[in-house]
Amino acid sequence: MKGKLTLVITNIIMLALGAVLIVFFDDDRMAELIAVALGVLFLAPSIYSLIMLLFTNVPVEDAMHNPRYNLIPTIGGLSFGLLIVVKASLFVALLKYIFAILLLAGGLYYVFYLLFTRGRVAMPKWYFFLPSLVAIAGVVALVLPIESNPTLFLMTGVSLIALSVTSVVISYSEYVAYRAALKAAKANAEVVSVEVAEVGDNASEQ
């Protein structure tokens, strides 16, 4: 159940981000807003870790669970997140590399997932179309000029929606296969029970 909830939340986030990037792809402020959002992504877990560091009572000798050993990465995450938020314009040039890696990793993940899943679930070849295009979009993003942010944002928005659609299609295929397997197992169990009952009747008659 937890895995399904995570999948639903991930798809909703990808759809929302994709829609925002498509609608506002030519907005002059979009690059800095995305940089600020990335800074917040670093700040949120660091702030949480800092709160746990200050208010969690763990014995000093318990080195494995002592949050004080997370002090350096926590301070590093806070510092880096604050730097991105305050100086977002300095990180705008890095967005194309971040998006390129995101698209390339996302596309290749689903391509390999489909390859490994085909052994147990029937996956049509056209399922590979969208994730392959997303991976190609990641390569294209790497060679785009830094000043081509509108094209990058539009391409990333479309790719995120494509990944979300791919995820839903794969999940549905796996669900159908799972239901079919359950139905087949139930039918086999009924056949076995009938055969056992017939054997029992024959034995009692003899």
Side-chain angles (χ1 to χ4, degrees):
M1 189 66 183
K2 185 178 179 181
K4 292 180 180 179
L5 180 61
T6 302
L7 181 63
V8 170
I9 294 175
T10 301
N11 284 329
I12 291 174
I13 291 174
M14 285 197 297
L15 281 173
L17 288 177
V20 169
L21 288 173
I22 290 173
V23 173
F24 300 104
F25 75 96
D26 58 348
D27 193 317
D28 296 334
R29 300 170 299 170
M30 179 57 67
E32 289 194 17
L33 289 175
I34 293 174
V36 170
L38 291 175
V40 171
L41 288 178
F42 278 96
L43 282 175
S46 299
I47 292 174
Y48 173 78
S49 297
L50 184 62
I51 292 173
M52 296 297 294
L53 173 68
L54 295 175
F55 297 103
T56 301
N57 294 321
V58 178
V60 177
E61 62 273 10
D62 190 357
M64 181 178 294
H65 299 97
N66 197 326
R68 291 171 179 79
Y69 290 91
N70 296 322
L71 181 61
I72 293 177
T74 298
I75 293 177
L78 276 172
S79 303
F80 189 60
L82 283 173
L83 181 62
I84 295 177
V85 171
V86 175
K87 296 290 185 180
S89 59
L90 297 177
F91 292 87
V92 170
L94 299 177
L95 288 180
K96 87 163 194 171
Y97 300 105
I98 295 173
F99 282 161
I101 293 172
L102 174 67
L103 298 184
L104 188 58
L108 290 178
Y109 167 79
Y110 280 108
V111 167
F112 284 109
Y113 184 85
L114 285 168
L115 287 173
F116 287 116
T117 306
R118 290 185 72 183
R120 56 185 178 84
V121 180
M123 296 288 183
K125 292 182 179 180
W126 64 267
Y127 279 20
F128 289 87
F129 180 70
L130 286 180
S132 299
L133 283 183
V134 172
I136 294 172
V139 176
V140 172
L142 282 174
V143 299
L144 279 176
I146 293 178
E147 62 273 9
S148 301
N149 279 332
T151 303
L152 176 65
F153 296 155
L154 182 60
M155 186 168 60
T156 303
V158 173
S159 297
L160 288 176
I161 292 177
L163 288 178
S164 181
V165 171
T166 300
S167 177
V168 171
V169 170
I170 292 174
S171 298
Y172 177 75
S173 296
E174 290 179 330
Y175 173 77
V176 171
Y178 172 74
R179 295 291 296 178
L182 282 181
K183 188 175 180 180
K186 184 178 179 180
N188 289 334
E190 291 176 351
V191 170
V192 170
S193 62
V194 170
E195 291 178 349
V196 169
E198 289 178 349
V199 170
D201 293 339
N202 292 334
S204 60
E205 289 176 359
Q206 293 177 356

